[in-house]
Amino acid sequence: MVQSSPLPARAEVVIVGGGIIGCSVAYHLAELGVTDVVLLERKSLTCGTTWHAAGLVARVRPTYTMTRLAQYTGDLYASLEDKTGQPTGFQQVGSLSIATTPARLTEFKRSASMARARNIEARILAPDEIGSLWPLLHDKDLVGAVHFPEDGQTNPVDTTLALASGARRKGVTIIENSEVNSIEIEEGRVTGVGTDGGDIQADHVVICAGMWSHKIGRQCGITIPLHAAEHFYIVTESMAEMDSPLPILRDPAACAYFKRETGKLLVGFFEPVAKPWGMEGIPESFAFDSLPNDFDHLEPLIEGAIHRFPPLAEAGIQLFFNGPESFTPDDRYHLGESPEIDNLFVATGFNSIGIQSAGGAGRLLAEQIVNGYASMDTWDIDIARNISFQGNPLYLRDRTVEALGLLYADHWPFRQFESARPVRTSILHQRLAARGACFGEANGWERPNWYAAEGETPHYEYSWGRQNWFDPNAAEHLGVRERVGLFDQSSFAKFLVQGRRALTLLNRLSTAEIDVEPGRLVYTQWLNERGGVEADLTITRVEEESFLVVTGVTTQQKDFHWLRRHIRGETEVALTDITSGQAVIGIMGPKSRLLLQGLTDTNLDHEAFPFACSREINLGYAQVRATRITYVGELGWELYIPTEFAPAVYDTIVEAGTPFGLIHAGYHTLNSLRMEKAYRHWGHDMTGSDSLLEAGLGFTADYDKAGGFIGREALIRQKEHGTPTRRLVQFLLEDPAATPYHEEPIWMEGALAGITTSAMFGHSLGGSVVLGYVEHPEGVTPCVVNNAAFEIEIAGVRFKATASLKPMFDPANQKIRC
């Protein structure tokens, strides 16, 4: 193998991988003025997955973030030939997604609402309108469709070469036939790469190696969870029916998409039971290769495609193609700086949507490298969301069997993965299962989402309306509000920070003052330099030089490494993840004190054990840390228990709870309770792109504490500009039958004003409660919020909503401070 050009000794950025993603990163770095860039491709550009991609360019994706990225990509491809002089084959043919059930049509209507929030044209079609866009389609079983006229298709190879050409013209070096063998790291920071032709020193390295990325990550100590799977499509011989342009057709019920291709028809499949590939490793020589055909595996899906488009039955098959693509455990791609190693970036795992995501992904990653941050929220796709166990090859193989097919399955709210479970279970798991727990999965943890009544099977019956757990959730919710509830919160991420300089470190990171008396808890945020919220958590001062940091299950990896990065080089601070060592039981509700007081000799009265107090107490035969705090808006305690003591403590509480009406409650109930109190959830209601002031959490900031805190100066500048023009607002929908979930458009006085972030039915308030950001050029003041007419759009229908900047439930916090 001969390299296409000599290797330089160093570069500002080295990109590993020459598919459409790597070339997009190179192109956008050059657009931002960074041209000391070397892109290394092990064989030839596009030779991994890009060359055999179908080239679909949709603008609407399942999340708002991914939709914004896909929208940018579509706009880029439409202009790329003019910008680079390189043909791309891009055609704006539109797309048509057809529904065979009312539920699927509801999903499409919700997508159309999201499209309108991004000013993307979307049309909901009746069954008799569909045939005009796709003649000869079998439509007797259809209930409707959604048409996106701005969608398109492109030639993946030509588009990649156009991006590469644009990057080269601005000075980027692209070297083919150069395999990267190692990522070089010193003191937690990337320093370059080693190749078969020599080493290159670099300030930044970007892994864009597709299905090879997992292996590269393991070699350098970072987790990039993805696995290759066989992916099939067929191409017919020329068909008279394909002589005229047609929109891309998606038939989710048939797990198939249809694309006209130069007078022929390409039909691709996302089968419900996929075939993982590459378990024994990918051959070194693998490049423009295909995999063996498996007609038996695909035959039922081909029959479904013929049912939808009968002329296919008479068409000859020119190509039966099978090629590998990589899929991630949650069907969202990986983007951003690795949490483990500074300046090592990742853009990979695109789940068969790499072509339609490449432009936006490349732009955002280039922004992160150049500016230190992206211009929009990326948590949906942030590589930091993953946790180390997800690099387990067996886990990845088993999850991939399901993940590929879920791309075309119904995207139900609260839908749970069924494969590769269980992974992480609480010590109380079997006891909770015996109580009727229906478990959901979060970062591998099996957590009770709700409890079935005695004699009923705990399983989900999904829908876009009220699901089968609505009534159990109501019972749990009101049981906590009126009596007392038990939550297993063992999945909390828990870090112990110790040492002489632990206080100095945590105070610098935290908005609130952490220098409190031992035995006190502080609610605080960690910010970036722009004042954006990077973490939302509690810190308990256990001893003078010992602190317990507690954060959410989904941010365990992110928050741990945020701490570690700021500790690096500090010899007088020790950081330990003790998540697995302690179970957590939450006892919440107005009768929680009465229940717990009978089990301990510690005085739990308000004066003796005030809010935010944390102490070790005797409970049953055990010693536990009892912390008076709440995420539900009621009097309550979180009990931190050494894992081996937790079952006995649980049994003691349950036995004593009967006279007080103790009810087991799940995470759906935790969510409905917190929504009524307008308590924020990091990752939904705020991320690093949302200012502390926009999120309505400015009360946690102690601007005068010694040493200040990261983000303080940015907040001061924001305060100097007056009332924020963007704020998180709580809404209560007037129609109790309305079922919002998140990412619905918010209308104010008939104009689009924002997007929702989370929602849940509030059983104490009697309707669906929503949080979402509202924008108003003159400031989102109480006067504006209280007097404007608001509506939330759900699946194309607008529902009137009451808005408030204060929590609608117990705004004075009387219930939690009694």
Side-chain angles (χ1 to χ4, degrees):
M1 182 173 67
V2 179
Q3 291 175 349
S4 55
S5 59
L7 293 177
R10 77 167 322 277
E12 186 173 348
V13 183
V14 170
I15 300 170
V16 183
I20 195 166
I21 304 300
C23 289
S24 178
V25 174
Y27 174 87
H28 285 91
L29 283 169
E31 287 287 294
L32 291 177
V34 178
T35 57
D36 184 14
V37 177
V38 176
L39 184 151
L40 301 175
E41 165 52 46
R42 57 185 287 275
K43 298 291 185 182
S44 302
L45 295 185
T46 79
C47 72
T49 297
T50 299
W51 73 274
H52 63 73
L56 311 185
V57 185
R59 290 173 178 257
V60 179
R61 301 305 307 156
T63 72
Y64 190 70
T65 293
M66 294 171 74
T67 294
R68 290 181 65 184
L69 295 181
Q71 183 181 15
Y72 170 82
T73 300
D75 291 341
L76 173 66
Y77 292 172
S79 62
L80 192 58
E81 183 173 343
D82 290 339
K83 292 179 177 179
T84 66
Q86 168 73 39
T88 63
F90 178 77
Q91 303 174 61
Q92 197 168 59
V93 298
S95 73
L96 179 69
S97 295
I98 55 178
T100 58
T101 66
R104 183 70 78 171
L105 186 59
T106 296
E107 179 181 332
F108 290 163
K109 289 178 178 179
R110 293 180 62 87
S111 295
S113 290
M114 185 189 294
R116 282 190 284 272
R118 290 295 309 158
N119 198 31
I120 299 171
E121 185 179 355
R123 299 170 54 221
I124 298 297
L125 305 181
D128 59 4
E129 298 177 284
I130 296 172
S132 63
L133 291 177
W134 253 83
L136 303 180
L137 198 69
H138 176 73
D139 58 7
K140 301 302 181 185
D141 56 349
L142 301 182
V143 298
V146 60
H147 178 218
F148 295 111
E150 297 172 89
D151 283 358
Q153 61 188 53
T154 198
N155 182 301
V157 172
D158 289 346
T159 304
T160 303
L161 295 180
L163 291 166
S165 174
R168 279 193 180 105
R169 289 184 180 187
K170 294 201 173 186
V172 170
T173 300
I174 296 178
I175 303 176
E176 298 178 284
N177 299 313
S178 181
E179 184 169 4
V180 172
N181 299 318
S182 63
I183 307 291
E184 303 302 321
I185 300 159
E186 291 182 10
E187 299 181 351
R189 179 180 294 271
V190 75
T191 60
V193 300
T195 80
D196 49 6
D199 298 341
I200 305 178
Q201 294 182 340
D203 300 320
H204 307 83
V205 174
V206 188
I207 300 174
C208 303
M211 54 191 169
W212 288 271
S213 299
H214 174 66
K215 178 182 176 181
I216 295 173
R218 292 183 69 179
Q219 289 173 341
C220 63
I222 70 171
T223 301
I224 306 178
L226 55 81
H227 199 293
E230 300 183 30
H231 184 52
F232 301 87
Y233 59 75
I234 60 173
V235 180
T236 70
E237 296 176 346
S238 296
M239 299 177 62
E241 295 84 357
M242 297 294 112
D243 286 345
S244 301
L246 290 169
I248 296 158
L249 174 69
R250 293 181 178 88
D251 182 4
C255 308
Y257 61 88
F258 303 74
K259 170 196 168 190
R260 176 183 175 270
E261 191 164 277
T262 60
K264 305 169 186 177
L265 178 63
L266 182 152
V267 185
F269 304 96
F270 288 92
E271 66 273 28
V273 180
K275 297 181 64 178
W277 179 80
M279 285 77 74
E280 307 302 323
I282 302 171
E284 190 279 332
S285 61
F286 196 87
F288 294 102
D289 296 271
S290 60
L291 304 179
N293 293 335
D294 189 345
F295 185 81
D296 291 341
H297 177 73
L298 215 58
E299 184 176 13
L301 298 182
I302 293 176
E303 291 176 356
I306 292 172
H307 166 78
R308 182 58 56 212
F309 189 60
L312 183 60
E314 305 301 322
I317 304 299
Q318 184 185 75
L319 174 65
F320 190 117
F321 186 82
N322 178 10
E325 297 192 15
S326 57
F327 294 83
T328 66
D330 59 5
D331 277 338
R332 288 179 280 142
Y333 47 90
H334 302 316
L335 195 73
E337 186 176 15
S338 73
E340 300 97 335
I341 299 172
D342 290 354
N343 288 354
L344 178 57
F345 292 81
V346 173
T348 191
F350 279 81
N351 305 284
S352 202
I353 60 166
I355 306 302
Q356 62 192 272
S357 306
R363 188 195 78 181
L364 282 194
L365 203 66
E367 290 175 350
Q368 290 183 30
I369 293 170
V370 174
N371 302 323
Y373 60 92
S375 59
M376 56 179 282
D377 168 47
T378 60
W379 178 243
D380 279 352
I381 49 179
D382 196 327
I383 184 66
R385 74 186 185 275
N386 300 294
I387 198 161
S388 58
F389 85 86
Q390 292 177 308
N392 180 291
L394 180 60
Y395 166 84
L396 289 170
R397 184 199 70 186
D398 290 351
R399 175 56 61 84
T400 299
V401 172
E402 178 187 18
L404 181 149
L406 287 179
L407 292 171
Y408 270 38
D410 288 275
H411 297 99
W412 302 115
F414 306 103
R415 179 161 190 160
Q416 302 296 320
F417 286 99
E418 298 177 4
S419 59
R421 294 177 61 184
V423 178
R424 310 168 80 186
T425 57
S426 159
I427 192 70
L428 305 176
H429 183 85
Q430 294 303 324
R431 283 170 165 79
L432 303 179
R435 291 275 172 176
C438 185
F439 293 97
E441 182 261 340
N443 244 10
W445 279 98
E446 297 291 328
R447 310 193 304 175
N449 277 348
W450 57 280
Y451 289 83
E454 186 174 355
E456 296 186 0
T457 302
H459 74 284
Y460 279 92
E461 296 175 6
Y462 298 116
S463 77
W464 287 100
R466 292 180 177 178
Q467 297 185 6
N468 64 317
W469 48 267
F470 182 86
D471 289 339
N473 170 232
E476 295 171 24
H477 182 112
L478 297 175
V480 174
R481 286 276 184 250
E482 297 167 2
R483 303 186 306 278
V484 58
L486 181 152
F487 297 88
D488 179 16
Q489 297 173 281
S490 300
S491 60
F492 275 161
K494 301 171 280 284
F495 313 137
L496 200 59
V497 185
Q498 299 169 291
R500 289 181 56 189
R501 292 185 56 79
L503 173 61
T504 302
L505 167 78
L506 291 172
N507 233 0
R508 177 63 179 158
L509 291 181
S510 304
T511 56
E513 175 62 75
I514 308 301
D515 190 5
V516 296
E517 292 294 320
R520 296 293 296 175
L521 171 145
V522 178
Y523 172 58
T524 189
Q525 287 75 41
W526 294 343
L527 308 183
N528 53 45
E529 295 288 356
R530 305 177 309 284
V533 182
E534 293 289 348
D536 179 68
L537 40 77
T538 63
I539 299 177
T540 300
R541 192 170 195 176
V542 178
E543 298 173 351
E544 283 292 330
E545 297 180 357
S546 181
F547 298 82
L548 176 64
V549 176
V550 178
T551 187
V553 59
T554 58
T555 57
Q556 179 176 354
Q557 171 99 322
K558 178 184 186 296
D559 294 346
F560 182 84
H561 287 287
W562 184 267
L563 264 173
R564 190 181 63 82
R565 274 184 163 144
H566 287 87
I567 289 173
R568 186 177 296 146
E570 177 58 72
T571 60
E572 296 182 289
V573 180
L575 171 63
T576 309
D577 188 331
I578 62 170
T579 299
S580 299
Q582 292 191 330
V584 182
I585 297 175
I587 303 297
M588 303 288 162
K591 295 186 178 181
S592 58
R593 178 182 285 122
L594 294 174
L595 168 57
L596 292 176
Q597 189 64 81
L599 303 176
T600 183
D601 54 3
T602 299
N603 185 353
L604 300 182
D605 286 349
H606 179 67
E607 293 74 16
F609 207 123
F611 185 76
C613 178
S614 180
R615 296 177 187 161
E616 285 196 350
I617 68 172
N618 295 312
L619 200 161
Y621 296 139
Q623 284 187 318
V624 308
R625 172 164 295 279
T627 299
R628 188 173 165 194
I629 191 67
T630 180
Y631 193 49
V632 302
E634 298 288 344
L635 172 69
W637 279 262
E638 291 173 355
L639 306 176
Y640 292 79
I641 313 160
T643 300
E644 69 271 25
F645 288 94
V649 170
Y650 167 86
D651 291 344
T652 299
I653 294 172
V654 171
E655 183 178 357
T658 301
F660 302 100
L662 176 69
I663 190 169
H664 283 66
Y667 272 81
H668 288 339
T669 295
L670 195 72
N671 194 28
S672 62
L673 291 163
R674 73 98 181 172
M675 286 294 301
E676 292 187 328
K677 279 290 292 178
Y679 287 152
R680 278 64 165 152
H681 180 272
W682 197 94
H684 284 100
D685 307 313
M686 55 190 171
T687 68
S689 295
D690 303 307
S691 157
L692 186 78
L693 303 182
E694 293 174 336
L697 296 173
F699 64 89
T700 71
D702 186 341
Y703 294 95
D704 299 323
K705 67 175 179 175
F709 57 87
I710 295 173
R712 174 182 177 274
E713 290 72 21
L715 294 186
I716 290 174
R717 290 193 297 270
Q718 292 170 25
K719 287 170 67 71
E720 290 172 349
H721 283 89
T723 303
T725 58
R726 178 177 180 267
R727 274 290 305 271
L728 191 67
V729 177
Q730 185 185 35
F731 299 91
L732 177 64
L733 272 62
E734 293 183 8
D735 186 345
T739 54
Y741 293 105
H742 55 81
E743 299 182 306
E744 296 95 359
I746 300 170
W747 297 86
M748 183 174 71
E749 299 292 342
L752 186 66
I755 200 87
T756 68
T757 57
S758 56
M760 200 73 170
F761 193 89
H763 297 281
S764 302
L765 295 177
S768 288
V769 184
V770 178
L771 291 175
Y773 283 94
V774 170
E775 297 187 40
H776 190 266
E778 298 176 7
V780 184
T781 64
C783 181
V784 168
V785 171
N786 295 337
N787 293 297
F790 285 96
E791 297 171 302
I792 308 296
E793 181 179 335
I794 306 170
V797 179
R798 298 186 193 179
F799 294 87
K800 293 181 179 180
T802 302
S804 176
L805 288 174
K806 294 181 178 180
M808 294 183 181
F809 182 85
D810 188 26
N813 290 329
Q814 295 178 342
K815 295 172 71 66
I816 66 174
R817 298 181 181 275
C818 59

